[in-house]
Amino acid sequence: TGLAPAPPADRAALLRRATFILTGLPPSPEETRSFLADDSPDAYEKLIDRLLESPRFGERWARHWMDWFRFAESHGSEGDPSIPYAWRYRDYLIRALNADVPYDQLVREHLAGDLLPEPRLNQELGINESAIGPAHLRFVPHGFAPVDPLDEQVRFTENQVEVVGKALLGMTIACARCHHHKFDAISQEDFYAFYGIMASTHPATVVVDIPDRLSRHNDRLRSLKQEIRQRLADAWLDDLSDLPSRLGALPEEAGKDARSALHAWAAMRGLEGEAPAAKWDELAAATREAMAHEAKRATPAWNLAGDDFGDWFTHGPGLADAPSQAGEFHVLPEGDQAISSIYPAGVYTHLLSSRHSGVLTSPRFTIETSRVSVRALGRGGARIRMVLRNYPRAIGLIYNQHVSPNDDTMRWHHWDATYWNGETAHLEAATVPDIPIEAGEESARSWFGLAEVVFHNGGDQQPRDLGAPLPALAPEAAPRSADELAELYKDVLREAVLAWRDEALTDFQAAFLTDMLRAGLLANTLAELPRIAPLLEAYRALEAQVPTPTRAPGVVESRGFDQPLYERGNHTQPRQPVPRRFLEVFNETPYQTDLSGRLELAYDITAPDNPLTSRVIVNRLWHHIFGRGIVASTDNFGALGEKPTHPLLLDYLAGRLVDEGWSIKSMLRLLLTSHTFQMSAVASPEARRIDPANRLWSHADIRRLEAESIRDAILAVSGQLDETMFGPSAPAPGSSTRRAVYVRVQRNNLDPFLSAFDAPEPYTTKGVRAATNVPAQSLTLLNDPFIIDIAGRWAQSMIDTGPDEPTDRLRHMFLIALSRPPTEDELSLAQDYLADLAAAYDVETADLARDVRIWRDIAQSIFNLKEFIYLR
């Protein structure tokens, strides 16, 4: 072409360029002086190594990654509900990039980090880093209470497929929803193969702790609990002789509920003659009728106390691998009472600690009845709901198929499912901090228990609570007096306590013991149980040490299913199911798994024979280093994407990335230390004539800083930047001085300053940001109250700690802001401006150096210099 490479950039420009690219921040005056004074041959290489090892590197490059995976902390639409703990994904990226975790490992984590056989564990934080990767699958936009859940699912699943395809493979797979891709080798079946993988998971809030962190006290808690059970049983057995007198002292209202264990006592205690026996017969007949009704009603869809539990999926430290037998109980963490209830067989999250969390999900099912009933208990906001097509919200007039039990007794709860007949759904039970969207406080004590699910059409099919009426436990007895009835209670109670002690309790006996406990007929206070007090104190002290789980947005597995292909993308026209698999152009073999297939997809995308993954990421790195990718359309390597300007270079770099263990830092070091990167941004006349777009990289491109770097640079040069790393996001919009990467990304309330400078709306992969030059940007820098405030703070800082002589102060401010001193012409203009400001504010020359208004305007003027927001 006849083009010659541009000469090397001057050292100050190169320092500023490299520092902003790697850290998103300007070099400090000290860093500038040090680098410019270092004339050693490897000074520049040492600079690059230092910047790559800076903790600010991860903050800068995490923001690029967040663009690729459309990071957001809310779902958008009406209400714009928050995605709980979304910020943990951002922190995960920063840690991973600073640690130079291999790119292929990060890809596998993004698709199936919760399923990896050898996850990446962070012992310092006590978390499974890999399990945070799939959080991006939750960053989908959601509609507000959509009337067509399937249409909603198609839209947000399409978004998942689109982002995975573009971000990792540079392919527009979602274009094949309605037809074979018109330009690329992607079939409509490919889209639905990916769809089945994504839709076979459920949105959730997941616990990412290393198991040992949450379970290290479990063995000791179990041991103490067993001792408490034994001593409680002994105390109750010792007190049985006093039961008749304690029954006699019960208040009149005790046992009025026919389901109560004390109902027989309430009904018979004042009767004489033949009346007690007659009343007993009446009660026994009612009990038999109720039990017969329950035996005839609709067959349970799932009995969670039995083998049906194996069909459900569990997540969280509170859920065991098998259902609990009748007789389990919860030791209260505080107060005068020792325990709350004695439970029937079922699934519980709080048997060792109500700090433990749990998410329990059913298999998918089609709604074919008008009613759904669940036998459950819970407190602390735990929720059991029917989830329609993976839609995560439970708010709205038509999305009210849920209950939040507020009772420690297992009872039936019902909801009307008529509206959704024919829809596909699953059931989800979750402790309140683990609810996918409307999650409660992270440290809340929340728990649930679930025993049974029934689908029915109401009427006689609707299950009823039987309680623990005495005739159910002593059907042959017929007491003829209050004394005989008291003896019967004593016999039944003795048998139940012995069964509880020996772990052979029935559900009826569990309910009977709970009623007797709550009526005060079984000792349960510290004053009544002096032998148990030390055990209880030890249990509570240990339980208080159970840490709050660390949570992140994520997905949980369900039974995998093959999604039917929708003719022309119309979800009302399903056709043949499409097996879950990778793109058929690479491997058309269906995945042989009962789960979603995410793990298999993760390995296929990072397989050595997949030519796309390495090239896509190398091209993204090149784009952010040089300002434009070798393939300019970084998200589309297909036929409609840009052709690579240097295909052999792209192949070489992709191969080198793999050979060097997929190290992102190694690749960046190679690119940044290249002669190409270190060239001047001054184009020769021949370059402007032959290659005006600089597609051949004969010189560096002048480019504007991204929105976050502009904001961070304003804070950094003014000395106001809060360098605190990690943690919940700062509000947006707001006046936080933390780095922009930590500003909340709320879809309906994006930060206006960042938006003015082209920060993307987070709806899909954004590999190339716009870099506009519009009046709104100048107006923002001139009028934004936040910028004016920061300029004032910088001014005050210069007055307090900067040079006293105005000209020296101007030189110092230029050095801080632009990494160079002003030229003589710039200094002369700045001095003239200083004089104009003094006249405008009527400030005497002697007071010039102390007037914050003048220096605020100087500071803001420097913010508005073109060079401040551009790299050369």
Side-chain angles (χ1 to χ4, degrees), residues 243-426:
L243 183 63
S245 62
R246 280 182 278 134
L247 282 168
L250 286 175
E252 288 293 326
E253 63 272 15
K256 292 299 184 183
D257 188 334
R259 297 168 297 182
S260 169
L262 293 167
H263 184 60
W265 179 259
M268 297 169 60
R269 64 190 299 184
L271 301 180
E272 298 178 354
E274 299 296 322
K279 175 56 71 173
W280 177 266
D281 289 341
E282 178 186 332
L283 295 174
T287 299
R288 287 193 297 271
E289 181 183 354
M291 294 175 70
H293 170 270
E294 286 301 287
K296 289 189 301 183
R297 66 168 167 78
T299 303
W302 290 288
N303 176 9
L304 284 245
D307 292 340
D308 293 343
F309 174 80
D311 296 332
W312 289 52
F313 286 80
T314 62
H315 180 85
L319 292 169
D321 294 332
S324 299
Q325 297 178 344
E328 273 291 0
F329 60 100
H330 171 52
V331 177
L332 294 169
E334 58 186 6
D336 188 48
Q337 301 261 314
I339 68 174
S340 58
S341 299
I342 294 176
Y343 300 131
V347 182
Y348 303 90
T349 62
H350 65 306
L351 295 181
L352 291 180
S353 172
S354 53
R355 294 178 185 272
H356 284 163
S357 64
V359 177
L360 181 67
T361 57
S362 77
R364 289 159 38 98
F365 59 88
T366 301
I367 304 168
E368 297 175 336
T369 59
S370 62
R371 304 281 289 174
V372 178
S373 296
V374 295
R375 193 158 64 96
L377 55 79
R379 285 197 191 278
R383 188 174 71 188
I384 302 164
R385 70 185 182 111
M386 186 170 71
V387 184
L388 297 156
R389 302 282 184 177
N390 288 345
Y391 185 66
R393 301 192 69 178
I395 292 178
L397 294 177
I398 58 175
Y399 284 86
N400 57 358
Q401 289 72 33
H402 68 275
V403 295
S404 290
N406 192 27
D407 195 336
D408 208 26
T409 299
M410 194 70 79
R411 303 189 190 281
W412 284 105
H413 302 267
H414 319 279
W415 61 74
D416 190 341
T418 306
Y419 185 87
W420 299 113
N421 259 223
E423 265 295 350
T424 298
H426 71 273

Side-chain angles (χ1 to χ4, degrees), residues 375-567:
R375 193 158 64 96
L377 55 79
R379 285 197 191 278
R383 188 174 71 188
I384 302 164
R385 70 185 182 111
M386 186 170 71
V387 184
L388 297 156
R389 302 282 184 177
N390 288 345
Y391 185 66
R393 301 192 69 178
I395 292 178
L397 294 177
I398 58 175
Y399 284 86
N400 57 358
Q401 289 72 33
H402 68 275
V403 295
S404 290
N406 192 27
D407 195 336
D408 208 26
T409 299
M410 194 70 79
R411 303 189 190 281
W412 284 105
H413 302 267
H414 319 279
W415 61 74
D416 190 341
T418 306
Y419 185 87
W420 299 113
N421 259 223
E423 265 295 350
T424 298
H426 71 273
L427 297 179
E428 171 194 270
T431 41
V432 71
D434 305 282
I435 292 170
I437 289 184
E438 302 96 356
E441 184 181 351
E442 188 170 18
S443 60
R445 289 185 179 271
S446 175
W447 69 90
F448 67 82
L450 188 60
E452 196 172 357
V453 178
V454 172
F455 299 135
H456 59 93
N457 290 312
D460 288 342
Q461 290 185 336
Q462 180 155 307
R464 296 182 240 171
D465 293 310
L466 289 178
L470 187 62
L473 294 167
E476 303 302 325
R480 298 182 177 276
S481 66
D483 290 342
E484 288 187 21
L485 182 60
E487 288 299 318
L488 179 58
Y489 267 100
K490 189 162 65 172
D491 292 341
V492 171
L493 184 57
R494 178 185 292 107
E495 185 178 347
V497 172
L498 288 170
W500 183 60
R501 184 194 66 187
D502 298 336
E503 300 183 23
L505 205 68
T506 67
D507 282 1
F508 270 130
Q509 287 176 315
F512 183 83
L513 286 177
T514 295
D515 283 355
M516 302 296 278
L517 188 72
R518 293 182 180 171
L521 297 172
L522 294 174
N524 195 33
T525 65
L526 298 183
E528 295 172 308
L529 299 164
R531 293 184 59 212
I532 290 177
L535 286 174
L536 190 61
E537 182 180 346
Y539 190 98
R540 288 176 171 178
L542 199 60
E543 194 272 348
Q545 298 177 38
V546 173
T548 298
T550 305
R551 297 175 169 94
V555 294
V556 293
E557 286 291 270
S558 70
R559 196 70 58 203
F561 74 97
D562 293 334
Q563 171 63 31
L565 182 147
Y566 292 137
E567 185 172 329

Side-chain angles (χ1 to χ4, degrees), residues 56-229:
R56 308 303 154 204
F57 167 79
E59 292 174 329
R60 178 71 195 111
W61 283 76
R63 185 56 259 183
H64 296 323
W65 200 292
M66 291 153 71
D67 281 5
W68 309 337
F69 287 92
R70 47 84 175 92
F71 173 79
E73 297 180 72
S74 68
H75 285 299
S77 189
E78 186 178 351
D80 198 18
S82 295
I83 303 170
Y85 321 112
W87 54 269
R88 285 209 165 95
Y89 172 80
R90 172 246 294 147
D91 289 359
Y92 150 85
L93 289 177
I94 295 171
R95 289 191 298 269
L97 290 166
N98 277 335
D100 199 22
V101 174
Y103 178 72
D104 62 334
Q105 171 71 15
L106 287 176
V107 170
R108 287 190 289 271
E109 290 179 0
H110 271 61
L111 292 167
D114 55 323
L115 305 176
L116 293 178
E118 295 183 7
R120 195 164 50 88
L121 304 181
N122 185 326
Q123 297 294 341
E124 180 181 357
L125 296 179
I127 61 173
N128 177 350
E129 294 275 15
S130 300
I132 305 176
H136 72 93
L137 296 172
R138 292 289 315 284
F139 301 153
V140 294
H142 274 300
F144 181 81
V147 296
D148 186 343
L150 178 54
D151 177 61
E152 169 73 8
Q153 184 187 49
V154 170
R155 288 192 294 108
F156 71 73
T157 306
E158 179 182 7
N159 181 262
Q160 292 172 329
V161 174
E162 178 182 33
V163 168
V164 168
K166 287 181 176 180
L168 301 179
L169 298 169
M171 301 301 292
T172 55
I173 300 172
C175 287
R177 169 185 163 183
C178 305
H179 46 70
H180 296 329
H181 203 295
K182 293 186 179 297
F183 304 99
D184 298 331
I186 301 173
S187 67
Q188 192 177 10
E189 287 78 7
D190 282 336
F191 172 80
Y192 289 100
F194 273 61
Y195 184 114
I197 294 170
M198 303 303 168
S200 291
T201 64
H202 300 321
T205 297
V206 299
V207 172
V208 297
D209 296 271
I210 295 172
D212 289 350
R213 177 175 181 265
L214 300 179
S215 63
R216 62 177 176 265
H217 300 306
N218 284 5
D219 289 344
R220 180 58 180 150
L221 288 172
R222 288 190 189 94
S223 176
L224 286 169
K225 192 175 175 184
Q226 186 61 19
E227 291 185 63
I228 290 171
R229 180 199 289 250

